[in-house]
Amino acid sequence: PPILDSASNFELEKRPFISVARIPASFKSQMAELIAKAEGLEPDYERVDSVLSNLGSRGVGLSSLLAMGGTHALGALGFYLSFALIDLLRTEDVDTFVMPIDACDSFLRLLSGKEELPPELTNRADLLAISISDHGLTLTPIEIKFYGMTAGENDQTRIPSSTDRELSKAKKQAFETKSIISLISAIYREVMDGPASADRTLWLNAMVTLVEASIKLEPSPLKDPKRLTERIEALLAGNLPVNAGKPLITFYSFNGYASNGDQELYENVSDENGEWGLLGLNTARAFQMVAQKEASTSWQQLAEWCFRPVLPQPKPDWPEDAEPAKPEDAEPAKPEDAEPAKPEDAEP
């Protein structure tokens, strides 16, 4: 869109491109063994084709994945499960689409007004959930972790809770992406509070372009195309607020169990970082949920909570130029202003 910089020194790696990669038999064999172990079933090469087709059609860079191999094949399974579990959600009044952050990171930075972010904001989440309803647009970062595949067939691994240090890096990645989304939300309010201008039109068009890109990566038919079109038109007109959702961490663990012995863990968390959600699943249980094509009630409730916007705090009522009075600024009471004590008020 026009808002993107088209300067002559625009870096080559930031330009749009298409890559075509042949999937070698060795990689498919490795994927088949990993999927079989994660599911607890026999290798199925048709399942491998389905997983790779799903990832490729949703914007995950398969050519780089093939080049790196190794642990990145585990990352592919984490992406696949997260996409599939979000597809199971029943959202009658909300349209939700998911994009890999790698596919839209530079776009998000541009929309935030901070293309060159400080070094402390170089980490990022894996996925971006885009939820649009009649009440607004919500952008939610999702971080994916997939562990335990090096364990033996009979070894149990642990699904960490929200307080475990094992999730520290995941939380950092998720909240740094959320900070960029919060900047986008602030830019939206700033743009809409100002007068109508070409900058406002360009910015809203850029936001709509991001949403449309996520729609094109959606493999399932749209539930209500007419309603979605009306919502996009409302966004373009500046009638839908843009807000950040609560970061979501999805943690998949081979033969994993939570501290209470369950294969599933759902947590709505509020700590020093802010509000965020944690989904922890045994890998076999995750694949089972996908095969059953139905989201559990706990997963449905957690996702709805995370995809609900974190609304900005209202501004104080005092004028913009005025500062709230400090205690030391208050004038002490003058003696002549004080009323003399009445006899009946005196204590015996």
Side-chain angles (χ1 to χ4, degrees):
I3 196 172
L4 288 176
D5 184 12
S6 58
S8 58
N9 60 349
F10 197 60
E11 299 174 27
L12 181 62
E13 62 269 23
K14 290 185 178 180
R15 294 178 181 174
F17 67 93
I18 295 175
S19 61
V20 179
R22 185 185 300 278
I23 301 175
S26 59
F27 184 84
K28 293 180 69 172
S29 177
Q30 181 188 19
M31 286 289 294
E33 291 175 3
L34 288 173
I35 294 173
K37 182 176 181 179
E39 285 187 289
L41 302 174
E42 293 298 317
D44 182 350
Y45 285 89
E46 289 186 3
R47 170 59 66 86
V48 175
D49 290 336
S50 174
V51 169
L52 294 177
S53 175
N54 182 290
L55 293 176
S57 65
R58 303 191 77 155
V60 178
L62 290 182
S63 58
S64 57
L65 185 69
L66 294 171
M68 291 181 287
T71 57
H72 294 278
L74 297 179
L77 292 185
F79 272 73
Y80 169 76
L81 287 173
S82 296
F83 277 125
L85 290 172
I86 292 173
D87 287 344
L88 298 179
L89 298 173
R90 302 176 300 278
T91 51
E92 297 299 328
D93 299 325
V94 182
D95 293 297
T96 300
F97 308 99
V98 187
M99 293 184 74
I101 289 287
D102 284 350
C104 61
D105 179 67
S106 59
F107 213 128
L108 291 175
R109 291 168 185 260
L110 183 140
L111 285 168
S112 71
K114 301 286 184 181
E115 279 195 88
E116 298 299 328
L117 292 172
E120 64 269 18
L121 291 181
T122 55
N123 294 298
R124 59 191 183 216
D126 291 310
L127 299 176
L128 178 70
I130 300 176
S131 305
I132 185 169
S133 70
D134 292 335
H135 306 292
L137 177 74
T138 306
L139 307 177
T140 305
I142 301 172
E143 174 62 18
I144 303 168
K145 296 298 178 187
F146 197 108
Y147 289 134
M149 292 299 287
T150 56
E153 295 288 345
N154 299 319
D155 294 338
Q156 286 192 7
T157 61
R158 192 173 62 91
I159 298 175
S161 68
S162 58
T163 57
D164 286 342
R165 294 182 61 185
E166 194 171 353
L167 295 177
S168 298
K169 184 178 179 181
K171 284 192 285 187
K172 182 178 181 180
Q173 290 171 289
F175 273 94
E176 286 192 7
T177 297
K178 190 207 167 186
S179 68
I180 296 174
I181 297 171
S182 297
L183 286 173
I184 293 173
S185 178
I187 290 286
Y188 171 83
R189 296 193 301 275
E190 181 181 319
V191 165
M192 297 312 300
D193 287 344
S197 64
D199 285 344
R200 176 198 285 187
T201 302
L202 287 173
W203 194 93
L204 290 172
N205 270 278
M207 178 57 71
V208 167
T209 301
L210 176 65
V211 176
E212 288 178 337
S214 69
I215 295 172
K216 291 176 181 178
L217 294 174
E218 172 60 41
S220 304
L222 298 176
K223 292 178 293 186
D224 191 338
K226 183 175 181 295
R227 182 183 66 181
L228 179 59
T229 300
E230 292 171 349
R231 288 172 173 174
I232 291 176
E233 289 174 348
L235 177 62
L236 185 59
N239 296 328
L240 282 186
V242 178
N243 290 299
K246 306 172 188 71
L248 172 64
I249 295 174
T250 59
F251 192 102
Y252 307 103
S253 182
F254 169 72
N255 209 17
Y257 291 86
S259 58
N260 61 0
D262 287 347
Q263 294 184 334
E264 305 173 35
L265 176 69
Y266 306 90
E267 286 194 54
N268 299 38
V269 187
S270 180
D271 58 18
E272 68 278 3
N273 298 290
E275 292 182 315
W276 58 282
L278 172 62
L279 167 67
L281 287 176
N282 179 300
T283 55
R285 175 61 184 138
F287 275 101
Q288 183 184 48
M289 288 172 63
V290 172
Q292 292 173 343
K293 298 182 179 181
E294 185 174 355
S296 67
T297 302
S298 297
W299 167 228
Q300 181 77 32
Q301 292 174 344
L302 175 64
E304 288 180 356
W305 182 75
C306 287
F307 296 167
R308 196 175 301 146
V310 179
L311 299 177
Q313 295 297 316
K315 294 181 179 179
D317 292 332
W318 58 76
E320 292 185 3
D321 296 337
E323 294 184 2
K326 300 177 182 178
E328 59 268 23
D329 294 339
E331 294 185 5
K334 298 177 182 179
E336 59 267 24
D337 294 336
E339 293 186 6
K342 298 178 182 177
E344 57 271 22
D345 295 336
E347 293 185 7

